[in-house]
Amino acid sequence: MSVVVIEFITLDGRASDPDGRAGTPHGGWAFRHGPEPVAGDKFRLGNLLDEGVLLLGRRTWELFAEIWPGRDDPFAARMNAAAKLVASRTLTDVSAWENSRLVDGDLVDAVKSEHRDVIITGSLSIVHTLMGEGLIDEYRLLTFPTVLGVGTKLFPAGSFVDLQCRAIEPAGAAVYARYGRSAR
């Protein structure tokens, strides 16, 4: 099993508020280039969605639970059918989006005991927690030609992550693996 992070990021490594829903001054940067750069399976998730599990924080899950069930394209069908784990201290009901269940107990322990590939999208607090534990195996990043100068960075100041580029996809996403790390 591998832990895979998929993120939209800016040239200066910011990953916060790509859709503008958080109301930050420069939010919505991922959609300023139109819908095409973010539509479909830009991260080439393929079988990861079919056989793995999405791990989402509360805010990301709530956003996705609003938008994905109402879509009917092939990628949306895969997203809706995927197994989903939701890390939240406040949610009690995740029935609004099929195949969702709450993480039971400690997040790090839940990820360590998972037998499927884990895909994290958005959910920077989860990414940062698992990054601090050395649990992330792969980053799939779609970098937008924007410099924000403010906002949460994917890789916080003081963090050291040695990456190796494995692929640059035609859709613009880059796949990086942690150097010297293999799947568990």
Side-chain angles (χ1 to χ4, degrees), residues 101-131:
R101 71 177 177 85
L102 290 165
V103 170
D104 187 28
D106 180 70
L107 171 66
V108 172
D109 290 342
V111 170
K112 285 181 177 179
S113 66
E114 183 60 55
H115 300 293
R116 301 168 287 188
D117 290 323
V118 176
I119 307 153
I120 308 163
T121 181
S123 308
L124 289 174
S125 62
I126 291 174
V127 172
H128 291 156
T129 297
L130 298 180
M131 185 186 297

Side-chain angles (χ1 to χ4, degrees), residues 26-179:
H26 302 294
W29 48 267
F31 295 91
R32 289 193 184 111
H33 305 279
E36 182 54 34
V38 298
D41 189 5
K42 296 294 190 231
F43 295 100
R44 306 283 191 250
L45 296 175
N47 287 339
L48 283 176
L49 277 180
D50 301 333
E51 299 166 9
V53 60
L54 286 169
L55 174 59
L56 308 162
R58 178 190 53 83
R59 285 185 302 247
T60 303
W61 182 87
E62 287 175 335
L63 170 64
F64 284 14
E66 284 179 25
I67 62 174
W68 285 109
R71 294 184 180 176
D72 61 0
D73 60 89
F75 183 66
R78 289 179 103 171
M79 286 289 286
N80 290 325
K84 300 158 197 76
L85 288 174
V86 184
S88 174
R89 291 183 213 59
T90 58
L91 281 177
T92 57
D93 179 15
V94 291
S95 63
W97 195 16
E98 65 182 299
N99 302 316
S100 296
R101 71 177 177 85
L102 290 165
V103 170
D104 187 28
D106 180 70
L107 171 66
V108 172
D109 290 342
V111 170
K112 285 181 177 179
S113 66
E114 183 60 55
H115 300 293
R116 301 168 287 188
D117 290 323
V118 176
I119 307 153
I120 308 163
T121 181
S123 308
L124 289 174
S125 62
I126 291 174
V127 172
H128 291 156
T129 297
L130 298 180
M131 185 186 297
E133 296 289 325
L135 293 176
I136 298 173
D137 298 293
E138 186 174 300
Y139 296 87
R140 296 185 184 190
L141 310 176
L142 186 56
T143 306
F144 287 79
T146 302
V147 175
L148 293 178
V150 296
T152 306
K153 287 189 166 193
L154 175 59
F155 300 104
S159 61
F160 175 79
V161 180
D162 199 8
L163 300 176
Q164 175 180 31
C165 186
R166 289 180 37 210
I168 304 289
E169 297 291 335
V175 178
Y176 301 93
R178 283 202 27 221
Y179 186 77

